Amino acid sequence: MTLTLSHAEIAAAAAALFEAERRRQQTGLLSQQYPQMTLDDAYAVQAALIAHKRAAGLEVIGWKIGLTSRAMQQALNIDTPDSGVLLSDMAFPSGATIPLGRFIQPRIEAEIAFVLNAPLAGADVTRADVLAATDFVAPALEILDTRILRADPVTGVSRKIHDTVSDNAANAGIVLGTARHAPQSIDLRWIGAIVRRDGIVEETGLGAGVLDDPVAGIVWLVRRLAQYGQGVAAGDILLSGSFIRPIEAPPGSCFHADFGPFGHVDLTFAES
């Protein structure tokens, strides 16, 4: 682990993010404030932010994997996904209406969710291990939000991977569809979605856009957590990564994600 930030700097960054979410007012780019920041620093800030949230009474319900597509990795000049923590206030049912002001700049992505019935841990976890530990897979939407500015207003410099990871991988919400499937019964690479906003098709994609196989995202997550002596628990929800580009979700917008025989997910953002 390579840390360049002091404990005080990590704590200050996490506190700023926690306060930004509470106030619904974005904070400045950490990558600008701490240009020497490493990915290990960013995950340390994320862990401190999650500690704030758990102290406020929230519970961990799972994990999300992000930046799994080739296009997104190239855009950020990276060659690895990132991960964040799902918390109990992030879960919404399909068909829910998100209250106005609940998020700052929400966007949505289409994903395949894995729900576990057994724990997974270790640097040598395999694809077969993931399938064996999965109770079911389901269609899902992830709600993204950013507590950090997308770009510095003075320099125009965009946020970096360090900002996103620190900000809990831009994680804000999860919406599970009601359909349930045995993971061994279906080739998840061919699960696709047509995502409409206000009746207009905005994005389409296939599961193969996630590291060529959504299961590979779960393998990556468990192996990454093993570096910190962690794993995932039975009952955890794991978002395997988006296979569409993020879609802006302004007030009043309605989303329908049609996964065909795999199911569907609906979500509305209140206008008032």
Side-chain angles (χ1 to χ4, degrees):
M1 183 181 294
T2 305
L3 295 177
T4 68
L5 302 187
S6 68
H7 291 301
E9 288 171 327
I10 290 169
L17 287 167
F18 185 75
E19 186 66 8
E21 182 169 9
R22 189 184 72 81
R23 289 175 176 261
R24 305 291 189 265
Q25 185 173 6
Q26 293 169 321
T27 189
L29 276 66
L30 296 178
S31 59
Q32 292 275 83
Q33 186 175 359
Y34 306 109
Q36 79 280 20
M37 191 178 202
T38 67
L39 267 181
D40 285 330
D41 288 319
Y43 278 113
V45 172
Q46 182 188 118
L49 172 61
I50 298 305
H52 273 289
K53 290 174 171 286
R54 296 190 70 176
L58 299 181
E59 297 180 358
V60 174
I61 62 170
W63 299 80
K64 61 109 10 143
I65 304 161
L67 303 178
T68 51
S69 75
R70 181 75 169 158
M72 290 299 292
Q73 290 183 7
Q74 288 178 335
L76 290 173
N77 194 28
I78 59 171
D79 58 4
T80 183
D82 69 357
S83 65
V85 181
L86 295 172
L87 296 160
S88 50
D89 68 338
M90 297 179 179
F92 299 92
S94 181
T97 297
I98 306 300
L100 184 66
R102 173 68 170 79
F103 301 114
I104 303 171
Q105 286 185 327
R107 297 181 293 170
I108 67 100
E109 293 180 331
E111 312 205 10
I112 295 170
F114 290 64
V115 179
L116 302 186
N117 58 16
L120 281 170
D124 57 351
V125 70
T126 65
R127 186 178 190 277
D129 294 331
V130 170
L131 292 176
T134 300
D135 187 16
F136 61 84
V137 289
L141 291 177
E142 181 184 1
I143 304 171
L144 303 175
D145 200 12
T146 176
R147 281 66 60 170
I148 292 179
L149 293 167
R150 295 187 190 177
D152 183 83
V154 176
T155 65
V157 173
S158 297
R159 61 183 176 176
K160 295 181 170 56
I161 181 65
H162 310 84
D163 299 296
T164 303
V165 168
S166 298
D167 191 20
N168 197 22
N171 191 12
I174 173 176
V175 188
L176 279 185
T178 57
R180 304 286 185 263
H181 304 272
Q184 298 90 344
S185 68
I186 193 164
D187 187 344
L188 296 175
R189 299 174 306 158
W190 287 99
I191 297 301
I194 303 166
V195 184
R196 292 179 172 86
R197 181 182 63 193
D198 302 331
I200 298 172
V201 174
E202 294 286 351
E203 285 290 333
T204 64
L206 284 175
V210 178
L211 301 174
D212 194 34
D213 180 0
V215 181
I218 309 302
V219 171
W220 174 86
L221 172 67
V222 176
R223 291 179 177 179
R224 191 196 77 76
L225 291 175
Q227 300 173 24
Y228 303 90
Q230 298 176 292
V232 294
D236 275 357
I237 303 168
L238 307 180
L239 287 177
S240 58
S242 178
F243 47 81
I244 66 167
R245 292 178 299 177
I247 305 171
E248 299 289 344
S253 55
C254 297
F255 290 88
H256 175 70
D258 179 3
F259 288 75
F262 196 68
H264 67 274
V265 189
D266 295 284
L267 184 65
T268 298
F269 288 81
E271 191 167 18
S272 60

